[in-house]
Amino acid sequence: MRRAGLAFLLGAMAMSTHAADAQGNWITPAEASQFRTTPSYAQTLAYLQHLQQAAPGKLKLETFGITPQGRPMTAVIASSDGTFTPDAARAAHKPVVLVQAGIHPGEIEGKDAGLMLLRDIAVTGKYPHLLDHVVLVYIPVYSVDGHEYSSPYNRINQNGPESMGFRGQAQYLNLNRDYIKADAPETLAWLKLWQTWRPDFLIDVHTTDGADYQYDLTWYTEDPHKLDPVVATWQHKLMVEQAIPAYENLGHLASIYLEFKDGRDPRKGIENFGSGPRFSTGYAALQNRPALLIETHMLKSYAVRVHAVYDLLRVVLDEIDRDPAALLAATSRAEADTIARANDVHAHVPLTFKPDPTSTPFELKGYAFTQTHSDISNDTWIQYDPSKPVTYHIENWNGLLPDVSTTPPVAYVVPGEWKTIIDKLDAHGIAYRRIGHPMKDVEATAYQIDQPQWASEPFEGHLMLQSFTLHAHPVEVTLPAGSVIVPMNQRAANVAMELLEPQAPDSLLHWGYLNAIFEAKEFGEPRVLEKLARDMMAKDPKLKAEFEQKLHDDPAFAANGRERLDFFFMRSPWYTVQRVGAYPVLRVDAGQLANIATK
């Protein structure tokens, strides 16, 4: 048994026995099995309904969506005084904390920890005042279909439970890569839940894999550069100054998230794992919300992992309940800052981030390990010895710095024919104004995108656009009826920018929703292009020289007859009139927006 979890496991087992004696039928299914198993979704809902019947003024179950296989997606609303609606929470000045488990259903500790915690808040009276000033929205299982596709073989390196859910949902999508592109029915339902409640804090519970170390839990929050300063300050105070010290005082050992630069040698240091808006915490950052990723350690026993989550949730909720006004002030100020930014012509918003080249010292509580050459993989095989705890002094490169930035427009314009884009705005609750009639001679700024390069294999159902060049230029266009104006003086402005700015890492362009703009629909036959090429060279000696230079410099081009002809076709009006690579979303400044308003 690993040292970090041994004492705590003994306490957890004693707690389970005591719970069975003192609480009778309130023992959870996982506790009843001594944490060998985790309950099915039907058993989970039955237990929650049992709790709700016992504490109707403190717990309320709601269905907020239906999965692809027809199962209900359930959320539990918990409050000490029956504050069960967003309006009631806001009227009472109570922050809303959203805790979700099972977005990866093989990593299910958050479900069983949540059942225990709700019981001890609402029924047994162990923590009767934990939600006096907070409303908890708890999703016991996010990916319900994946949860029910249970098997002992879904997680190759995990120490229990005996059977666990599958990482993908029924359509083989990873829901924790779907927040911004929002393909899955589950994500669309979650977004409606988010827009309804507008949580002030998000907690997402997972189980890590990878290296072995002494910690039974690691945690992650978004880099301060991705957050409004007031949110970053509140988040740091909560986790670093308050919650983690209190948590470790309970006998736990915790660490910041550990992404090793080289999994074959942890001594080479740790780095940022590269979160973004496709992930839960990255999406919350776009929404001006702090968020906490919890990662229990897969090699600790399931009992240790469940109790590790239970205690951290309890500590975090206790800290928020103690000073709810601080969280409400931070999220309110961040939203106000985002809205006010629309009037700042000097504002720069980072779209991408790069590693901070400056590291900081980090003390890793790990285990001794050996490194041997493998004749199977022809690589280094690392093997840990958990009987020998070792503290390593390594470097931490977790910090990020802004990389590509842009000045937000006053508004974006999406032509009405691009319904796919408008549907995504709707999914994320982004406000816009729809044009009811055609508008001619609208002045705006457009992007031209060239040299597109796509990934060689699909990712989450998409063949992603990996790289391209772009330049901005003024245009004068006619907008059809049904086009939409997306103002940036709104709380969801950051989400709109992520979707609509081409260089944003999770833009709709990067995800491949706009691939059609790179397809020429009209072509010339070779016999026609032969004559076109000769005519163009005769009229333009510089073009002839450019062609001959490319023949000299690019052997692959010189060997490809079709590319040689396309060299001329792509520089002719028969090609340019097709507007290949013309990005459809436009940017407008204050003056241009005012002109649109008068049309």
Side-chain angles (χ1 to χ4, degrees):
M1 176 61 63
R2 292 159 179 79
R3 186 180 66 179
L6 177 58
F8 195 76
L9 175 57
L10 294 175
M13 293 175 65
M15 183 184 298
S16 295
T17 303
H18 174 73
D21 293 338
Q23 297 159 15
N25 62 344
W26 294 120
I27 191 169
T28 67
E31 289 173 311
S33 72
Q34 296 293 308
F35 296 97
R36 289 182 298 100
T37 64
T38 187
S40 69
Y41 193 55
Q43 292 170 323
T44 300
L45 293 187
Y47 186 86
L48 288 170
Q49 289 162 356
H50 193 35
L51 290 180
Q52 179 183 233
Q53 291 167 2
K58 296 182 179 180
L59 299 178
K60 181 181 179 183
L61 272 63
E62 294 185 351
T63 297
F64 68 94
I66 302 296
T67 71
Q69 293 183 337
R71 297 182 175 93
M73 299 178 69
T74 300
V76 182
I77 317 304
S79 166
S80 63
D81 60 0
T83 304
F84 289 150
T85 69
D87 289 344
R90 284 188 274 273
H93 304 289
K94 292 185 176 185
V96 176
V97 177
L98 173 58
V99 176
Q100 60 188 38
I103 193 170
H104 295 153
E107 310 167 24
I108 204 60
E109 293 87 336
K111 176 191 69 178
D112 290 314
L115 297 186
M116 294 161 54
L117 188 59
L118 288 174
R119 173 199 65 200
D120 290 340
I121 292 172
V123 178
T124 69
K126 188 173 183 180
Y127 305 112
H129 302 294
L130 198 60
L131 299 180
D132 281 355
H133 308 103
V134 174
V135 175
L136 172 64
V137 179
Y138 165 65
I139 301 174
V141 182
Y142 187 153
S143 180
V144 183
D145 293 344
H147 181 275
E148 294 305 275
Y149 187 57
S150 184
S151 168
Y153 303 105
N154 277 337
R155 296 271 289 177
I156 191 172
N157 56 343
Q158 188 162 291
N159 181 13
E162 290 179 353
S163 184
M164 63 209 75
F166 183 63
R167 187 173 181 83
Q169 47 83 276
Q171 298 161 322
Y172 267 56
L173 295 174
N174 182 341
L175 294 175
N176 201 30
R177 304 295 185 272
D178 196 49
Y179 280 92
I180 194 72
K181 66 182 177 70
D183 284 340
E186 294 96 329
T187 307
L188 295 173
W190 185 93
L191 288 171
K192 289 181 181 178
L193 179 76
W194 179 277
Q195 292 154 31
T196 298
W197 281 96
R198 281 167 45 194
D200 295 282
F201 187 48
L202 170 66
I203 303 176
D204 192 10
V205 184
H206 291 250
T207 312
T208 193
D209 48 20
D212 198 359
Y213 38 73
Q214 298 175 44
Y215 312 102
D216 51 273
L217 181 148
T218 62
W219 58 276
Y220 175 87
T221 55
E222 292 293 328
D223 186 271
H225 290 95
K226 296 185 177 184
L227 298 166
D228 187 284
V230 293
V231 171
T233 298
W234 180 90
Q235 181 175 266
H236 181 272
K237 181 178 180 181
L238 171 74
M239 294 306 300
V240 177
E241 299 179 17
Q242 298 172 333
I244 294 302
Y247 181 67
E248 292 193 329
N249 283 340
L250 297 176
H252 294 284
L253 194 59
S255 168
I256 60 171
Y257 188 86
L258 298 172
E259 180 78 11
F260 291 98
K261 292 174 71 72
D262 185 346
R264 299 162 299 186
D265 189 348
R267 295 168 299 187
K268 292 183 179 179
I270 58 175
E271 60 186 353
N272 197 290
F273 83 93
S275 173
R278 68 188 63 170
F279 297 89
S280 60
T281 57
Y283 185 78
L286 286 185
Q287 293 277 3
N288 286 308
R289 294 300 189 262
L292 170 64
L293 174 69
I294 296 175
E295 294 273 3
T296 65
H297 189 213
M298 76 289 180
L299 295 180
K300 303 298 186 288
S301 73
Y302 192 54
V304 167
R305 285 159 29 213
V306 171
H307 282 89
V309 173
Y310 175 98
D311 277 343
L312 185 54
L313 291 179
R314 177 169 64 85
V315 165
V316 168
L317 287 172
D318 186 50
E319 293 294 344
I320 297 173
D321 189 77
R322 186 174 292 116
D323 187 7
L327 175 54
L328 290 174
T331 56
S332 177
R333 172 63 185 275
E335 287 190 352
D337 289 346
T338 296
I339 293 170
R341 188 184 63 199
N343 299 317
D344 183 359
V345 296
H346 302 294
H348 282 80
V349 177
L351 298 175
T352 64
F353 298 84
K354 60 186 178 182
D356 187 335
T358 304
S359 66
T360 57
F362 182 77
E363 190 176 82
L364 171 68
K365 296 185 184 301
Y367 296 120
F369 60 87
T370 59
Q371 296 168 305
T372 57
H373 179 76
S374 168
D375 56 359
I376 295 177
S377 66
N378 195 33
D379 202 346
T380 299
W381 181 17
I382 183 172
Q383 298 177 79
Y384 292 94
D385 184 350
S387 69
K388 297 178 180 178
V390 177
T391 297
Y392 299 97
H393 297 277
I394 63 174
E395 294 300 312
N396 174 6
W397 282 276
N398 257 289
L400 298 176
L401 296 174
D403 191 8
V404 176
S405 299
T406 190
T407 298
V410 171
Y412 292 98
V413 178
V414 182
E417 64 267 25
W418 286 93
K419 188 174 183 301
T420 298
I421 300 176
I422 297 172
D423 287 347
K424 293 299 181 185
L425 300 178
D426 288 336
H428 291 278
I430 296 169
Y432 58 75
R433 176 171 64 88
R434 191 179 294 273
I435 296 171
H437 60 276
M439 289 186 177
K440 295 183 178 180
D441 305 324
V442 172
E443 295 181 348
T445 299
Y447 288 122
Q448 175 62 35
I449 301 175
D450 297 309
Q451 299 179 339
Q453 296 292 326
W454 284 269
S456 59
E457 57 185 31
F459 174 69
E460 292 301 313
H462 291 258
L463 198 63
M464 295 191 71
L465 182 61
Q466 290 190 316
S467 65
F468 50 83
T469 62
L470 85 164
H471 70 271
H473 60 96
V475 293
E476 191 173 275
V477 300
T478 296
L479 296 176
S483 300
V484 301
I485 311 297
V486 186
M488 287 294 96
N489 60 344
Q490 61 172 297
R491 57 171 302 278
N494 294 329
V495 183
M497 292 186 67
E498 185 67 35
L499 291 169
L500 302 179
E501 281 294 330
Q503 294 184 88
D506 279 318
S507 68
L508 295 177
L509 181 75
H510 267 300
W511 276 107
Y513 285 99
L514 283 72
N515 282 349
I517 69 173
F518 301 107
E519 301 174 20
K521 301 304 181 185
E522 300 284 356
F523 299 91
E525 295 181 0
R527 64 180 181 83
V528 176
L529 296 184
E530 291 280 5
K531 183 176 185 306
L532 176 68
R534 286 163 175 77
D535 291 344
M536 291 176 70
M537 284 192 291
K539 294 176 181 178
D540 189 347
K542 289 184 178 180
L543 180 63
K544 182 176 184 294
E546 183 184 350
F547 175 64
E548 291 173 345
Q549 187 66 46
K550 188 167 181 62
L551 290 176
H552 179 271
D553 295 341
D554 189 343
F557 170 78
N560 191 314
R562 183 69 205 193
E563 284 193 16
R564 290 169 68 146
L565 292 175
D566 281 345
F567 175 90
F568 297 95
F569 178 61
M570 293 173 68
R571 288 161 175 78
S572 76
W574 284 272
Y575 181 83
T576 56
V577 74
Q578 300 184 59
R579 302 180 66 242
V580 175
Y583 186 63
V585 179
L586 308 173
R587 294 165 53 104
V588 293
D589 60 25
Q592 292 165 338
L593 184 60
N595 289 336
I596 292 175
T598 62
K599 290 184 181 294

